[in-house]
């Protein structure tokens, strides 16, 4: 796929944060738009379907540059590889299935950002909370119930 075939939105976002517009950056941002919560390896595989050849290191470099520029959010569920998504800046949280690792967004449901207030901030000015809810997704819950019948 040519650089021209990739998203105008991604192009504008890269320019707005002062990053050069390159085919790997555009491909990563476009692919993540359709595949949120992807690991770097998943992003690399998806981007390689669009671009003939791009190194794994190039994908990591793009993800890190985009995370630093707040174009991509990196989440790190305990015991799992980092995941990346395009949804940034809104202080949402995540649901992670313990069985299949499906990851879904969940909006802040109580109070105002940062949603939770620690009992003692220890002098910190808290501006964000990162919460991961763990459990079983509907498919795994159904499979588990079927297995026990």
């Amino acid at each position: 796929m040519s650089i021209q075939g990739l998203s105008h939105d991604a192009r504008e976002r890269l320019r707005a944060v002062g990053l050069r517009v390159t085919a790997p950056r555009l491909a990563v941002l476009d692919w993540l738009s359709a595949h949120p919560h992807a690991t770097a390896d998943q992003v690399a595989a998806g981007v390689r379907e669009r671009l003939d050849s791009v190194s794994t290191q190039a994908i990591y470099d793009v993800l890190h540059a985009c995370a630093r520029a707040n174009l991509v959010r990196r989440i790190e569920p305990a015991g799992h590889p980092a995941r990346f998504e395009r949804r940034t800046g809104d202080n949402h949280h995540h649901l992670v299935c313990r069985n299949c690792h499906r990851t879904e967004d969940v909006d802040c449901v109580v109070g105002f950002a940062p949603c939770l207030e620690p009992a003692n901030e220890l002098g910190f000015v808290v501006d964000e909370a990162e919460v991961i809810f763990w459990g079983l997704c509907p498919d795994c819950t159904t499979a588990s119930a079927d297995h026990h019948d």
Side-chain angles (χ1 to χ4, degrees), residues 6 23-67 71-75 81-86:
L6 297 168
R25 286 178 177 163
L26 290 171
V28 165
L29 292 175
D30 279 350
W31 198 83
L32 276 174
S33 289
H35 305 90
H37 312 117
T39 65
D41 288 342
Q42 291 168 328
V43 173
V47 167
R48 285 190 190 110
E49 290 175 8
R50 295 176 179 208
L51 302 177
D52 290 336
S53 139
V54 83
S55 72
T56 300
Q57 186 59 51
I59 297 299
Y60 276 96
D61 292 346
V62 167
L63 289 168
H64 292 298
C66 288
L71 294 175
V72 167
R73 181 175 177 192
R74 176 188 174 117
I75 62 167
R83 296 178 176 276
F84 299 87
E85 64 182 337
R86 292 272 314 263

Side-chain angles (χ1 to χ4, degrees), residues 2 4 8 18-19 23-24 29 34 85-86 91 109 119 121 136 144 147:
S2 74
Q4 285 76 28
H8 177 72
L19 291 176
L29 292 175
E85 64 182 337
R86 292 272 314 263
N91 202 47
V109 293
E121 295 91 0
L136 293 178
S144 179
H147 182 69

Side-chain angles (χ1 to χ4, degrees), residues 37-38 72-78 80-85 87 92-96 103-105 130-132:
H37 312 117
V72 167
R73 181 175 177 192
R74 176 188 174 117
I75 62 167
E76 298 183 55
H80 296 261
R83 296 178 176 276
F84 299 87
E85 64 182 337
R87 186 175 170 186
H92 70 279
H93 307 302
H94 295 93
L95 297 160
V96 177
T103 304
E104 296 290 342
D105 291 335
E130 186 170 311
V131 177
I132 297 179

Side-chain angles (χ1 to χ4, degrees), residues 10-20 25 29 65-72:
R11 227 180 264 288
E12 292 305 312
R13 288 179 181 267
L14 286 166
R15 286 187 183 118
V17 298
L19 291 176
R20 283 187 318 114
R25 286 178 177 163
L29 292 175
C66 288
R68 279 192 308 274
N70 204 32
L71 294 175
V72 167

